Amino acid sequence: MTAFDPLVVPIFATPFGLATVPDAAELNPAAAQLFAERALPERADPASRPPQMFRSREDLLQWADEPLRRLTAGIIGAALSVVHSLNELTDEQFAAFQLQARAWFTIVRPDGNVPSGNYPNAAWCAVYCVAAPEPSPSRHDSGLLRLHESFRATMFSDATNTVLRAPFQSGHSTWQPVPGQLAVFPASITHEIALHRGEGESVLVTALLRFLAPGQTGMPWW
């Protein structure tokens, strides 16, 4: 039999970045208390009211409370570091961009979840964990951030492509939220917070980011 030496490379790679927000241990308890106090109907996102979950309006970056301003500054700074690490721009080029961002907080209670969705008008999505419950003894996927794989939805499955080695295997990707950590990924990816089957509450901050280059037009402020 003729010997072959094939070359196989990954294509359509999707970035998923993690970063730790400075001073999280100090700032998270203050933020969690503030969110609990303000999880009121008049502060809720009117378009999202599933049971056992509270999502605030997208005005978190405008709040004047000092602990929260420090926390959101750390979240945005960590997200920028991930995004910058993914491109070939110089520090000067990246610093010249105008950032557009919005953010909100979410409290997921027992038997609650965040329904799947994506954000076509943003470039990047950042999910930060303020507080996380203890893992559920009965559901390993309780409260996970699940990113849905969709680009291979029309791929024919047979005995060879269902057992591909990493990084080519198919399937959704998951991340277990950890207090103080931030996950950053393209905002176009459909994702969800899986059903929370444990005790306590999961408290998250989600931020959407996009950038305006010098002289760029046609992308009005959100």
Side-chain angles (χ1 to χ4, degrees), residues 55 58 100 102 104 116-125 185-191 208-211 219 222:
R55 170 175 162 164
E58 298 179 2
Q100 296 186 358
R102 54 175 59 184
W104 63 91
S116 60
N118 60 12
Y119 306 101
N121 289 325
W124 301 96
C125 180
F185 51 91
S188 60
I189 296 179
T190 299
H191 58 281
L208 301 180
L209 294 79
R210 64 186 190 183
F211 298 83
M219 193 171 74
W222 272 331

PDB file of all heavy atoms in Angstrom, residues 55 58 100 102 104 116-125 185-191 208-211 219 222:
ATOM      1  N   ARG A  55     -33.354  39.799  34.455  1.00  0.00           N
ATOM      2  CA  ARG A  55     -32.382  40.485  33.596  1.00  0.00           C
ATOM      3  C   ARG A  55     -32.672  41.974  33.648  1.00  0.00           C
ATOM      4  O   ARG A  55     -33.809  42.403  33.418  1.00  0.00           O
ATOM      5  CB  ARG A  55     -32.460  39.978  32.166  1.00  0.00           C
ATOM      6  CG  ARG A  55     -31.650  40.833  31.194  1.00  0.00           C
ATOM      7  CD  ARG A  55     -31.627  40.281  29.804  1.00  0.00           C
ATOM      8  NE  ARG A  55     -31.213  41.316  28.850  1.00  0.00           N
ATOM      9  CZ  ARG A  55     -30.805  41.072  27.616  1.00  0.00           C
ATOM     10  NH1 ARG A  55     -30.752  39.830  27.175  1.00  0.00           N
ATOM     11  NH2 ARG A  55     -30.464  42.066  26.810  1.00  0.00           N
ATOM     12  N   GLU A  58     -30.276  47.431  29.925  1.00  0.00           N
ATOM     13  CA  GLU A  58     -28.903  47.466  29.432  1.00  0.00           C
ATOM     14  C   GLU A  58     -28.225  48.804  29.741  1.00  0.00           C
ATOM     15  O   GLU A  58     -27.595  49.417  28.876  1.00  0.00           O
ATOM     16  CB  GLU A  58     -28.881  47.170  27.937  1.00  0.00           C
ATOM     17  CG  GLU A  58     -29.414  45.787  27.604  1.00  0.00           C
ATOM     18  CD  GLU A  58     -29.419  45.492  26.113  1.00  0.00           C
ATOM     19  OE1 GLU A  58     -28.975  46.361  25.323  1.00  0.00           O
ATOM     20  OE2 GLU A  58     -29.868  44.404  25.723  1.00  0.00           O
ATOM     21  N   GLN A 100     -17.815  51.041  21.662  1.00  0.00           N
ATOM     22  CA  GLN A 100     -19.231  51.132  21.975  1.00  0.00           C
ATOM     23  C   GLN A 100     -19.589  49.900  22.798  1.00  0.00           C
ATOM     24  O   GLN A 100     -19.300  48.775  22.389  1.00  0.00           O
ATOM     25  CB  GLN A 100     -20.077  51.186  20.702  1.00  0.00           C
ATOM     26  CG  GLN A 100     -19.830  52.417  19.856  1.00  0.00           C
ATOM     27  CD  GLN A 100     -20.799  52.511  18.680  1.00  0.00           C
ATOM     28  OE1 GLN A 100     -21.639  51.635  18.474  1.00  0.00           O
ATOM     29  NE2 GLN A 100     -20.691  53.589  17.908  1.00  0.00           N
ATOM     30  N   ARG A 102     -22.423  48.143  25.939  1.00  0.00           N
ATOM     31  CA  ARG A 102     -23.591  48.171  26.819  1.00  0.00           C
ATOM     32  C   ARG A 102     -23.547  46.917  27.674  1.00  0.00           C
ATOM     33  O   ARG A 102     -22.933  45.908  27.286  1.00  0.00           O
ATOM     34  CB  ARG A 102     -24.889  48.238  26.022  1.00  0.00           C
ATOM     35  CG  ARG A 102     -25.044  47.142  24.978  1.00  0.00           C
ATOM     36  CD  ARG A 102     -26.408  47.166  24.299  1.00  0.00           C
ATOM     37  NE  ARG A 102     -26.663  48.424  23.630  1.00  0.00           N
ATOM     38  CZ  ARG A 102     -27.826  48.712  23.036  1.00  0.00           C
ATOM     39  NH1 ARG A 102     -28.806  47.816  23.051  1.00  0.00           N
ATOM     40  NH2 ARG A 102     -28.009  49.855  22.426  1.00  0.00           N
ATOM     41  N   TRP A 104     -25.561  44.568  31.176  1.00  0.00           N
ATOM     42  CA  TRP A 104     -26.680  44.333  32.086  1.00  0.00           C
ATOM     43  C   TRP A 104     -26.301  43.219  33.058  1.00  0.00           C
ATOM     44  O   TRP A 104     -25.322  42.495  32.851  1.00  0.00           O
ATOM     45  CB  TRP A 104     -27.947  43.960  31.317  1.00  0.00           C
ATOM     46  CG  TRP A 104     -27.859  42.686  30.532  1.00  0.00           C
ATOM     47  CD1 TRP A 104     -28.184  41.421  30.951  1.00  0.00           C
ATOM     48  CD2 TRP A 104     -27.411  42.539  29.175  1.00  0.00           C
ATOM     49  NE1 TRP A 104     -27.983  40.499  29.957  1.00  0.00           N
ATOM     50  CE2 TRP A 104     -27.506  41.166  28.846  1.00  0.00           C
ATOM     51  CE3 TRP A 104     -26.941  43.437  28.204  1.00  0.00           C
ATOM     52  CZ2 TRP A 104     -27.149  40.686  27.598  1.00  0.00           C
ATOM     53  CZ3 TRP A 104     -26.584  42.944  26.961  1.00  0.00           C
ATOM     54  CH2 TRP A 104     -26.686  41.578  26.679  1.00  0.00           C
ATOM     55  N   SER A 116     -31.480  30.646  25.020  1.00  0.00           N
ATOM     56  CA  SER A 116     -30.443  30.778  24.001  1.00  0.00           C
ATOM     57  C   SER A 116     -30.723  31.968  23.095  1.00  0.00           C
ATOM     58  O   SER A 116     -31.869  32.319  22.808  1.00  0.00           O
ATOM     59  CB  SER A 116     -30.346  29.492  23.173  1.00  0.00           C
ATOM     60  OG  SER A 116     -31.575  29.224  22.520  1.00  0.00           O
ATOM     61  N   GLY A 117     -29.656  32.606  22.664  1.00  0.00           N
ATOM     62  CA  GLY A 117     -29.762  33.743  21.766  1.00  0.00           C
ATOM     63  C   GLY A 117     -28.380  34.213  21.357  1.00  0.00           C
ATOM     64  O   GLY A 117     -27.361  33.706  21.833  1.00  0.00           O
ATOM     65  N   ASN A 118     -28.343  35.179  20.443  1.00  0.00           N
ATOM     66  CA  ASN A 118     -27.078  35.803  20.051  1.00  0.00           C
ATOM     67  C   ASN A 118     -27.336  37.279  19.784  1.00  0.00           C
ATOM     68  O   ASN A 118     -28.465  37.760  19.915  1.00  0.00           O
ATOM     69  CB  ASN A 118     -26.466  35.096  18.840  1.00  0.00           C
ATOM     70  CG  ASN A 118     -27.380  35.124  17.623  1.00  0.00           C
ATOM     71  OD1 ASN A 118     -28.382  35.841  17.584  1.00  0.00           O
ATOM     72  ND2 ASN A 118     -27.047  34.335  16.621  1.00  0.00           N
ATOM     73  N   TYR A 119     -26.275  38.005  19.414  1.00  0.00           N
ATOM     74  CA  TYR A 119     -26.380  39.457  19.301  1.00  0.00           C
ATOM     75  C   TYR A 119     -25.757  39.900  17.983  1.00  0.00           C
ATOM     76  O   TYR A 119     -24.561  40.198  17.911  1.00  0.00           O
ATOM     77  CB  TYR A 119     -25.691  40.128  20.496  1.00  0.00           C
ATOM     78  CG  TYR A 119     -26.217  39.618  21.819  1.00  0.00           C
ATOM     79  CD1 TYR A 119     -25.507  38.680  22.560  1.00  0.00           C
ATOM     80  CD2 TYR A 119     -27.457  40.038  22.305  1.00  0.00           C
ATOM     81  CE1 TYR A 119     -26.003  38.199  23.761  1.00  0.00           C
ATOM     82  CE2 TYR A 119     -27.955  39.545  23.500  1.00  0.00           C
ATOM     83  CZ  TYR A 119     -27.223  38.630  24.218  1.00  0.00           C
ATOM     84  OH  TYR A 119     -27.720  38.140  25.398  1.00  0.00           O
ATOM     85  N   PRO A 120     -26.545  39.971  16.920  1.00  0.00           N
ATOM     86  CA  PRO A 120     -25.991  40.266  15.593  1.00  0.00           C
ATOM     87  C   PRO A 120     -25.475  41.688  15.436  1.00  0.00           C
ATOM     88  O   PRO A 120     -24.741  41.964  14.486  1.00  0.00           O
ATOM     89  CB  PRO A 120     -27.178  39.995  14.659  1.00  0.00           C
ATOM     90  CG  PRO A 120     -28.393  40.135  15.515  1.00  0.00           C
ATOM     91  CD  PRO A 120     -27.989  39.659  16.872  1.00  0.00           C
ATOM     92  N   ASN A 121     -25.842  42.611  16.323  1.00  0.00           N
ATOM     93  CA  ASN A 121     -25.388  43.993  16.190  1.00  0.00           C
ATOM     94  C   ASN A 121     -24.148  44.304  17.022  1.00  0.00           C
ATOM     95  O   ASN A 121     -23.783  45.471  17.178  1.00  0.00           O
ATOM     96  CB  ASN A 121     -26.514  44.961  16.583  1.00  0.00           C
ATOM     97  CG  ASN A 121     -27.625  44.981  15.555  1.00  0.00           C
ATOM     98  OD1 ASN A 121     -27.368  44.861  14.362  1.00  0.00           O
ATOM     99  ND2 ASN A 121     -28.855  45.124  16.018  1.00  0.00           N
ATOM    100  N   ALA A 122     -23.519  43.280  17.570  1.00  0.00           N
ATOM    101  CA  ALA A 122     -22.294  43.460  18.354  1.00  0.00           C
ATOM    102  C   ALA A 122     -21.216  42.544  17.799  1.00  0.00           C
ATOM    103  O   ALA A 122     -21.500  41.549  17.126  1.00  0.00           O
ATOM    104  CB  ALA A 122     -22.550  43.161  19.824  1.00  0.00           C
ATOM    105  N   ALA A 123     -19.964  42.887  18.075  1.00  0.00           N
ATOM    106  CA  ALA A 123     -18.850  42.055  17.630  1.00  0.00           C
ATOM    107  C   ALA A 123     -18.488  40.998  18.663  1.00  0.00           C
ATOM    108  O   ALA A 123     -18.215  39.849  18.319  1.00  0.00           O
ATOM    109  CB  ALA A 123     -17.629  42.925  17.327  1.00  0.00           C
ATOM    110  N   TRP A 124     -18.497  41.401  19.961  1.00  0.00           N
ATOM    111  CA  TRP A 124     -18.031  40.513  21.016  1.00  0.00           C
ATOM    112  C   TRP A 124     -19.025  40.495  22.166  1.00  0.00           C
ATOM    113  O   TRP A 124     -19.665  41.499  22.461  1.00  0.00           O
ATOM    114  CB  TRP A 124     -16.668  40.968  21.547  1.00  0.00           C
ATOM    115  CG  TRP A 124     -15.629  41.017  20.483  1.00  0.00           C
ATOM    116  CD1 TRP A 124     -15.240  42.104  19.750  1.00  0.00           C
ATOM    117  CD2 TRP A 124     -14.858  39.910  19.983  1.00  0.00           C
ATOM    118  NE1 TRP A 124     -14.284  41.750  18.841  1.00  0.00           N
ATOM    119  CE2 TRP A 124     -14.022  40.409  18.964  1.00  0.00           C
ATOM    120  CE3 TRP A 124     -14.799  38.553  20.320  1.00  0.00           C
ATOM    121  CZ2 TRP A 124     -13.131  39.600  18.268  1.00  0.00           C
ATOM    122  CZ3 TRP A 124     -13.911  37.753  19.629  1.00  0.00           C
ATOM    123  CH2 TRP A 124     -13.100  38.267  18.619  1.00  0.00           C
ATOM    124  N   CYS A 125     -19.118  39.342  22.803  1.00  0.00           N
ATOM    125  CA  CYS A 125     -19.940  39.173  23.999  1.00  0.00           C
ATOM    126  C   CYS A 125     -19.021  38.755  25.139  1.00  0.00           C
ATOM    127  O   CYS A 125     -18.167  37.873  24.972  1.00  0.00           O
ATOM    128  CB  CYS A 125     -21.010  38.112  23.779  1.00  0.00           C
ATOM    129  SG  CYS A 125     -22.094  37.833  25.205  1.00  0.00           S
ATOM    130  N   PHE A 185     -16.279  35.912  23.682  1.00  0.00           N
ATOM    131  CA  PHE A 185     -16.439  35.137  22.454  1.00  0.00           C
ATOM    132  C   PHE A 185     -17.226  35.976  21.447  1.00  0.00           C
ATOM    133  O   PHE A 185     -17.843  36.992  21.821  1.00  0.00           O
ATOM    134  CB  PHE A 185     -17.165  33.814  22.745  1.00  0.00           C
ATOM    135  CG  PHE A 185     -18.440  33.963  23.530  1.00  0.00           C
ATOM    136  CD1 PHE A 185     -19.669  34.117  22.895  1.00  0.00           C
ATOM    137  CD2 PHE A 185     -18.413  33.952  24.921  1.00  0.00           C
ATOM    138  CE1 PHE A 185     -20.838  34.262  23.616  1.00  0.00           C
ATOM    139  CE2 PHE A 185     -19.577  34.093  25.653  1.00  0.00           C
ATOM    140  CZ  PHE A 185     -20.790  34.248  25.000  1.00  0.00           C
ATOM    141  N   PRO A 186     -17.237  35.604  20.171  1.00  0.00           N
ATOM    142  CA  PRO A 186     -17.991  36.375  19.185  1.00  0.00           C
ATOM    143  C   PRO A 186     -19.469  36.439  19.544  1.00  0.00           C
ATOM    144  O   PRO A 186     -20.081  35.430  19.905  1.00  0.00           O
ATOM    145  CB  PRO A 186     -17.764  35.597  17.885  1.00  0.00           C
ATOM    146  CG  PRO A 186     -16.453  34.906  18.084  1.00  0.00           C
ATOM    147  CD  PRO A 186     -16.426  34.540  19.535  1.00  0.00           C
ATOM    148  N   ALA A 187     -20.039  37.633  19.432  1.00  0.00           N
ATOM    149  CA  ALA A 187     -21.434  37.824  19.829  1.00  0.00           C
ATOM    150  C   ALA A 187     -22.413  37.120  18.899  1.00  0.00           C
ATOM    151  O   ALA A 187     -23.583  36.972  19.235  1.00  0.00           O
ATOM    152  CB  ALA A 187     -21.753  39.318  19.889  1.00  0.00           C
ATOM    153  N   SER A 188     -21.947  36.684  17.750  1.00  0.00           N
ATOM    154  CA  SER A 188     -22.820  35.983  16.806  1.00  0.00           C
ATOM    155  C   SER A 188     -23.099  34.550  17.219  1.00  0.00           C
ATOM    156  O   SER A 188     -24.026  33.910  16.692  1.00  0.00           O
ATOM    157  CB  SER A 188     -22.192  35.983  15.408  1.00  0.00           C
ATOM    158  OG  SER A 188     -20.919  35.335  15.442  1.00  0.00           O
ATOM    159  N   ILE A 189     -22.331  34.006  18.175  1.00  0.00           N
ATOM    160  CA  ILE A 189     -22.520  32.615  18.581  1.00  0.00           C
ATOM    161  C   ILE A 189     -23.768  32.496  19.462  1.00  0.00           C
ATOM    162  O   ILE A 189     -23.906  33.202  20.465  1.00  0.00           O
ATOM    163  CB  ILE A 189     -21.295  32.101  19.360  1.00  0.00           C
ATOM    164  CG1 ILE A 189     -20.061  32.092  18.461  1.00  0.00           C
ATOM    165  CG2 ILE A 189     -21.550  30.705  19.915  1.00  0.00           C
ATOM    166  CD1 ILE A 189     -18.807  31.624  19.167  1.00  0.00           C
ATOM    167  N   THR A 190     -24.657  31.615  19.100  1.00  0.00           N
ATOM    168  CA  THR A 190     -25.825  31.347  19.931  1.00  0.00           C
ATOM    169  C   THR A 190     -25.371  30.661  21.221  1.00  0.00           C
ATOM    170  O   THR A 190     -24.603  29.695  21.190  1.00  0.00           O
ATOM    171  CB  THR A 190     -26.820  30.453  19.187  1.00  0.00           C
ATOM    172  OG1 THR A 190     -27.261  31.135  18.004  1.00  0.00           O
ATOM    173  CG2 THR A 190     -28.039  30.150  20.051  1.00  0.00           C
ATOM    174  N   HIS A 191     -25.841  31.178  22.342  1.00  0.00           N
ATOM    175  CA  HIS A 191     -25.401  30.646  23.635  1.00  0.00           C
ATOM    176  C   HIS A 191     -26.534  30.759  24.645  1.00  0.00           C
ATOM    177  O   HIS A 191     -27.537  31.435  24.406  1.00  0.00           O
ATOM    178  CB  HIS A 191     -24.160  31.391  24.129  1.00  0.00           C
ATOM    179  CG  HIS A 191     -24.365  32.863  24.280  1.00  0.00           C
ATOM    180  ND1 HIS A 191     -24.351  33.739  23.212  1.00  0.00           N
ATOM    181  CD2 HIS A 191     -24.604  33.641  25.365  1.00  0.00           C
ATOM    182  CE1 HIS A 191     -24.569  34.969  23.626  1.00  0.00           C
ATOM    183  NE2 HIS A 191     -24.736  34.938  24.937  1.00  0.00           N
ATOM    184  N   LEU A 208     -21.775  43.722  25.814  1.00  0.00           N
ATOM    185  CA  LEU A 208     -21.610  43.641  24.372  1.00  0.00           C
ATOM    186  C   LEU A 208     -20.673  44.747  23.928  1.00  0.00           C
ATOM    187  O   LEU A 208     -20.770  45.885  24.392  1.00  0.00           O
ATOM    188  CB  LEU A 208     -22.957  43.788  23.661  1.00  0.00           C
ATOM    189  CG  LEU A 208     -24.038  42.761  24.009  1.00  0.00           C
ATOM    190  CD1 LEU A 208     -25.302  43.041  23.216  1.00  0.00           C
ATOM    191  CD2 LEU A 208     -23.547  41.344  23.759  1.00  0.00           C
ATOM    192  N   LEU A 209     -19.761  44.415  23.021  1.00  0.00           N
ATOM    193  CA  LEU A 209     -18.756  45.370  22.570  1.00  0.00           C
ATOM    194  C   LEU A 209     -18.699  45.416  21.045  1.00  0.00           C
ATOM    195  O   LEU A 209     -18.852  44.374  20.381  1.00  0.00           O
ATOM    196  CB  LEU A 209     -17.366  45.005  23.102  1.00  0.00           C
ATOM    197  CG  LEU A 209     -17.087  45.069  24.597  1.00  0.00           C
ATOM    198  CD1 LEU A 209     -17.631  43.836  25.311  1.00  0.00           C
ATOM    199  CD2 LEU A 209     -15.606  45.212  24.852  1.00  0.00           C
ATOM    200  N   ARG A 210     -18.465  46.608  20.522  1.00  0.00           N
ATOM    201  CA  ARG A 210     -18.115  46.784  19.129  1.00  0.00           C
ATOM    202  C   ARG A 210     -17.264  48.050  19.025  1.00  0.00           C
ATOM    203  O   ARG A 210     -17.272  48.889  19.930  1.00  0.00           O
ATOM    204  CB  ARG A 210     -19.352  46.864  18.237  1.00  0.00           C
ATOM    205  CG  ARG A 210     -20.263  48.053  18.475  1.00  0.00           C
ATOM    206  CD  ARG A 210     -21.517  47.920  17.633  1.00  0.00           C
ATOM    207  NE  ARG A 210     -22.315  49.145  17.642  1.00  0.00           N
ATOM    208  CZ  ARG A 210     -23.485  49.268  17.041  1.00  0.00           C
ATOM    209  NH1 ARG A 210     -24.008  48.228  16.394  1.00  0.00           N
ATOM    210  NH2 ARG A 210     -24.144  50.409  17.066  1.00  0.00           N
ATOM    211  N   PHE A 211     -16.521  48.168  17.919  1.00  0.00           N
ATOM    212  CA  PHE A 211     -15.506  49.198  17.822  1.00  0.00           C
ATOM    213  C   PHE A 211     -15.679  50.018  16.544  1.00  0.00           C
ATOM    214  O   PHE A 211     -16.002  49.470  15.482  1.00  0.00           O
ATOM    215  CB  PHE A 211     -14.110  48.576  17.849  1.00  0.00           C
ATOM    216  CG  PHE A 211     -13.807  47.833  19.123  1.00  0.00           C
ATOM    217  CD1 PHE A 211     -14.230  46.516  19.291  1.00  0.00           C
ATOM    218  CD2 PHE A 211     -13.124  48.440  20.151  1.00  0.00           C
ATOM    219  CE1 PHE A 211     -13.954  45.821  20.455  1.00  0.00           C
ATOM    220  CE2 PHE A 211     -12.845  47.758  21.328  1.00  0.00           C
ATOM    221  CZ  PHE A 211     -13.258  46.449  21.481  1.00  0.00           C
ATOM    222  N   MET A 219     -22.189  53.511  11.426  1.00  0.00           N
ATOM    223  CA  MET A 219     -22.492  52.682  12.591  1.00  0.00           C
ATOM    224  C   MET A 219     -22.841  53.612  13.739  1.00  0.00           C
ATOM    225  O   MET A 219     -21.990  53.979  14.546  1.00  0.00           O
ATOM    226  CB  MET A 219     -21.305  51.785  12.961  1.00  0.00           C
ATOM    227  CG  MET A 219     -21.667  50.681  13.966  1.00  0.00           C
ATOM    228  SD  MET A 219     -20.314  49.473  14.207  1.00  0.00           S
ATOM    229  CE  MET A 219     -19.159  50.428  15.192  1.00  0.00           C
ATOM    230  N   TRP A 222     -25.299  53.000  19.808  1.00  0.00           N
ATOM    231  CA  TRP A 222     -26.450  52.222  20.261  1.00  0.00           C
ATOM    232  C   TRP A 222     -27.432  53.111  21.003  1.00  0.00           C
ATOM    233  O   TRP A 222     -27.049  53.898  21.843  1.00  0.00           O
ATOM    234  CB  TRP A 222     -25.976  51.115  21.190  1.00  0.00           C
ATOM    235  CG  TRP A 222     -25.595  49.865  20.468  1.00  0.00           C
ATOM    236  CD1 TRP A 222     -26.089  49.404  19.298  1.00  0.00           C
ATOM    237  CD2 TRP A 222     -24.639  48.887  20.895  1.00  0.00           C
ATOM    238  NE1 TRP A 222     -25.511  48.217  18.951  1.00  0.00           N
ATOM    239  CE2 TRP A 222     -24.616  47.878  19.928  1.00  0.00           C
ATOM    240  CE3 TRP A 222     -23.822  48.778  21.999  1.00  0.00           C
ATOM    241  CZ2 TRP A 222     -23.801  46.760  20.029  1.00  0.00           C
ATOM    242  CZ3 TRP A 222     -22.998  47.674  22.106  1.00  0.00           C
ATOM    243  CH2 TRP A 222     -23.000  46.680  21.121  1.00  0.00           C
TER     244      TRP A 222
END
